[in-house]
Amino acid sequence: MELNFVISVVDRDRADSMNKLYKELDLPLTVTMLGRGTATGETLATLGLVASEKSVITTVADREKTQQLMKNAKRRLFIDIPGNGIMMSIPLKSVGGGRTLAYFMNSAQESKGAPNMNFEHELILVILNQSYTDDVMIAARDAGAGGGTVVHAKGIGAKYTQKFFEVSLSNEKEIILIAARSNKKAEIMKAIVEKAGPETPAGAIVFSLPISSVAGLRDFNDE
């Protein structure tokens, strides 16, 4: 049995089209979050642009539906062409309870065979204090990252006054999603920690997850 957490990041005006693909496969749980691109303020001012609004659409799917979803997104939304968004699947290691598993499987037969464990890409997640996105992305790009997507969030600690270094766990937060090649991950994460880590005002906490398949990722060197 193989289940994946599937994440799609598209421009806000393409969200309905992507959601339609999810619904066509009768996926049991689809969650849409609002985000924005990570172009620096200086770049946007130079080009006379505004920050691009994004939709981050997530679901859980078995191997067969993950493959079909990516196939449909490539054929109908051209998601594999850089600039049209990005789609990635992250393998789930465990699910809490038999009923939850049955809900995600949606009465489908369990997938046969071993899951793909050859991860050429990883998803870097950065949780940071609000208003320091540029600091993190400058560090990440200097280390070889391409773009990223920002999602607004709120931290909730065990105590609302609790702090981890300079990170107030109840403050407004940003979450940055950066898809990168595995051989660049360590350098990117190191750069973020050194220039915007927990001991800085940005207070960034960084970790990564394996990506089993990805479409639409543009390498930094190709931009």
Side-chain angles (χ1 to χ4, degrees):
M1 183 271 297
E2 177 183 335
L3 286 175
N4 297 295
F5 183 54
V6 184
I7 303 174
S8 301
V9 181
V10 294
D11 287 342
R12 200 78 58 86
D13 59 2
R14 290 165 59 87
D16 287 345
S17 297
M18 181 62 76
N19 266 304
K20 183 178 180 181
L21 298 185
Y22 281 53
K23 291 177 181 178
E24 287 176 354
L25 292 176
D26 196 25
L27 295 168
L29 178 65
T30 300
V31 177
T32 300
M33 297 170 282
L34 303 182
R36 57 183 173 84
T38 56
T40 64
E42 180 180 352
T43 299
L44 293 172
T46 300
L47 298 177
L49 301 175
V50 295
S52 57
E53 295 184 333
K54 303 291 184 181
S55 288
V56 182
I57 307 167
T58 66
T59 191
V60 174
D62 61 22
R63 179 195 299 177
E64 182 179 347
K65 288 191 175 182
T66 298
Q67 293 173 345
Q68 187 62 50
L69 182 59
M70 284 205 165
K71 180 180 178 181
N72 292 348
K74 290 176 181 179
R75 186 176 68 245
R76 292 160 55 181
L77 298 183
F78 308 105
I79 200 72
D80 53 333
I81 299 176
N84 287 330
I86 184 171
M87 176 179 281
M88 65 195 86
S89 63
I90 298 170
L92 297 183
K93 185 176 181 181
S94 59
V95 172
R99 290 187 177 182
T100 302
L101 177 60
Y103 175 72
F104 284 147
M105 293 296 293
N106 200 20
S107 302
Q109 293 184 348
E110 292 189 2
S111 303
K112 303 298 182 180
N116 175 24
M117 299 300 289
N118 181 25
F119 304 122
E120 295 183 1
H121 299 88
E122 296 198 33
L123 177 64
I124 300 172
L125 287 94
V126 188
I127 303 173
L128 66 148
N129 294 328
Q130 192 175 17
S131 302
Y132 291 94
T133 300
D134 285 358
D135 293 4
V136 170
M137 288 309 302
I138 289 171
R141 287 192 174 99
D142 286 346
T149 301
V150 182
V151 178
H152 185 69
K154 183 178 180 66
I156 301 177
K159 297 180 180 179
Y160 288 102
T161 58
Q162 182 177 355
K163 283 193 174 184
F164 174 70
F165 291 103
E166 295 298 319
V167 186
S168 174
L169 298 181
S170 61
N171 280 352
E172 298 298 306
K173 299 293 180 186
E174 307 282 9
I175 300 175
I176 303 178
L177 311 177
I178 303 172
R181 290 194 176 275
S182 296
N183 59 6
K184 295 182 179 179
K185 175 205 67 174
E187 186 175 353
I188 293 171
M189 294 178 69
K190 180 181 178 181
I192 293 173
V193 170
E194 288 179 348
K195 298 180 181 179
E199 295 181 340
T200 72
I205 298 172
V206 189
F207 57 95
S208 69
L209 297 170
I211 298 175
S212 56
S213 57
V214 64
L217 181 63
R218 171 165 38 192
D219 283 340
F220 180 73
N221 292 332
D222 295 336
E223 290 188 341

